[in-house]
Amino acid sequence: MTDAPIRRRWDPLVKLTHWSVAFALLANALFTEGGSSAHVWIGYALAGILALRLLWGLVGPEEARFRAFPPSPARAVAHVREIAAGKTTAHRSHNPLGALMVYAIWGTMLVIIGTGIGMAGLPSGYGADERPAIAAGMQAGEESGEAADGEREEGPLTEVHEAAANLLYALILLHIGGVVFESRRQRRNLALAMLPGGR
Amino acid sequence: MVSERKERLHRKAAMMAIVVALQALAAGLFLIDFMADVASEGWTGHLIAEGAAATALVVAVIVGAVQVRDLIEQARQDNLAVALARRVVADLIRLRFAEWRLTAAEADVALFAIKGADVAEIARLRGAAEGTVRAQLTRIYAKAGVSSHSALVAQFLEDLIDPDLAVAGAAVSAGPA
């Protein structure tokens, strides 16, 4: 941001998608049973919200667009040097490290969504009796691995889905840590820009 | 006025963003349902209609997103216009004051006068006697070549108002409707 004194908040759509994604992830990480229909439906909703945010990256206001925060390792390195030198530059959009984080989180979520759809199938693709079979298979798979759907649950999709989810938790912790670190460094609360209300 | 309009635009943008997000959710679920149906039943006339509806919903999401973006840009444009105007007026005032060779005290008094303060208010704000302020104002008027408070203000407005605006305004009020 060249006009540094103007402190801008994120636009309403960025805020809305950010918190929707956060709540969906929280719900599926902590409260829903993997493979349950609630878990699957929240996953589909997450896919819709992520798609909207990606669309916003093409048509949204300047600082929400992809071109405002290109994934550039060179810039990230320059940013790290700046941190080491104790300098701060204001950025209109995500700072270069934050940008890498954003793409990492989006990429991981796409993997999770892709493998999730691969496992659950399309929502009405399986009949009423097949749906419990997934949950049953999941449980049976965990216990004995002998259910009809057992190998599907234990297959590479599940492993990738879970590994990606664990990676995502790590990324989220890093993301929160990054916000705290950068807020202290710049002596202004960056999280405020993501809170509802204001301009 | 401007900030009220800005607030209204921001509120509208936020509401629209919620609507667009709900639409995106609906479009996503609709599309997934459609693809699942096609996968299990193949293409039927009913599904073609459903597919067209799902596509229309996706288009609506895109159009909605563009509209939200426009609302946000509009609100920011308002901000920018006010900020720019403020800078221009400040420049103009500085320029005129220099041109009229006002002293520092006179410039202070003149600024209050332009903002609409009367003699009593200026005296209170500056902690000076009303007589002093009146004398300063007289000198300011003389240097600016005007004879009244309103004429002093008009000196600035005259430079700021686009001469074409008056003509356009007349045309609008004279036109039908």
Side-chain angles (χ1 to χ4, degrees):
Chain A
M1 194 152 73
T2 42
D3 44 346
I6 303 174
R7 289 271 89 101
R8 243 176 213 162
R9 292 178 155 219
W10 291 104
D11 65 65
L13 204 131
V14 167
K15 291 179 190 173
L16 193 64
T17 51
H18 174 268
W19 292 114
S20 304
V21 164
F23 280 118
L25 291 179
L26 202 67
N28 266 4
L30 300 180
F31 300 115
T32 64
E33 184 84 14
S36 69
S37 75
H39 187 92
V40 171
W41 280 105
I42 288 175
Y44 290 131
L46 176 65
I49 292 295
L50 180 59
L52 179 62
R53 177 59 186 93
L54 295 180
L55 169 70
W56 201 236
L58 297 173
V59 305
E62 196 52 43
E63 77 280 359
R65 294 200 185 192
F66 299 132
R67 64 167 181 234
F69 54 102
S72 156
R75 285 216 233 166
V77 169
H79 185 69
V80 171
R81 287 222 181 90
E82 237 173 52
I83 293 173
K87 278 188 292 183
T88 56
T89 2
H91 297 275
R92 241 197 99 134
S93 186
H94 303 284
N95 73 47
L97 277 178
L100 288 185
M101 177 57 78
V102 169
Y103 289 108
I105 288 179
W106 285 345
T108 312
M109 283 204 298
L110 287 176
V111 170
I112 293 174
I113 289 165
T115 51
I117 289 178
M119 283 189 289
L122 298 163
S124 40
Y126 43 82
D129 30 81
E130 205 181 333
R131 192 188 301 243
I134 289 181
M138 187 79 169
Q139 260 162 5
E142 275 165 7
E143 283 155 20
S144 63
E146 275 182 357
D149 277 345
E151 104 239 78
R152 191 154 139 215
E153 299 306 322
E154 289 289 280
L157 281 183
T158 313
E159 265 168 42
V160 174
H161 192 76
E162 281 170 5
N166 286 332
L167 174 62
L168 188 59
Y169 303 149
L171 289 176
I172 289 168
L173 289 180
L174 266 176
H175 162 61
I176 294 169
V179 171
V180 171
F181 175 75
E182 195 66 17
S183 292
R184 287 193 160 193
R185 209 167 73 81
Q186 294 188 16
R187 293 204 185 78
R188 68 195 178 93
N189 191 344
L190 293 175
L192 286 179
M194 196 50 98
L195 290 182
R199 41 158 269 101
Chain B
M1 264 160 5
V2 176
S3 68
E4 235 171 72
R5 193 178 116 85
K6 192 188 77 192
E7 276 309 309
R8 215 169 43 241
L9 283 168
H10 275 295
R11 253 202 316 278
K12 212 166 150 191
M15 297 289 286
M16 278 282 288
I18 293 171
V19 170
V20 169
L22 290 175
Q23 266 184 323
L25 271 185
L29 298 180
F30 218 63
L31 264 184
I32 286 170
D33 181 57
F34 165 72
M35 289 189 293
D37 285 353
V38 168
S40 64
E41 294 169 33
W43 290 92
T44 62
H46 172 73
L47 280 183
I48 290 172
E50 220 179 85
T55 311
L57 202 50
V58 170
V59 172
V61 170
I62 296 172
V63 171
V66 170
Q67 269 172 351
V68 173
R69 194 266 320 275
D70 287 347
L71 281 173
I72 293 168
E73 298 277 310
Q74 231 177 312
R76 287 181 184 173
Q77 212 66 56
D78 269 24
N79 270 0
L80 191 67
V82 172
L84 285 178
R86 210 168 261 169
R87 208 172 304 162
V88 169
V89 170
D91 280 351
L92 186 64
I93 287 175
R94 223 171 287 127
L95 219 69
R96 286 283 172 276
F97 284 6
E99 188 185 310
W100 297 336
R101 297 176 196 290
L102 299 189
T103 65
E106 285 167 355
D108 215 26
V109 171
L111 197 58
F112 283 131
I114 293 166
K115 279 180 160 180
D118 61 22
V119 173
E121 279 172 314
I122 298 173
R124 193 167 46 78
L125 286 166
R126 286 180 49 77
E130 286 192 20
T132 316
V133 172
R134 215 169 272 123
Q136 281 167 322
L137 274 176
T138 309
R139 276 200 300 280
I140 292 164
Y141 292 170
K143 286 180 176 177
V146 298
S147 53
S148 70
H149 189 170
S150 56
L152 180 71
V153 176
Q155 284 273 315
F156 293 95
L157 281 179
E158 199 188 357
D159 287 333
L160 287 172
I161 291 173
D162 184 350
D164 292 341
L165 191 67
V167 178
V172 167
S173 59

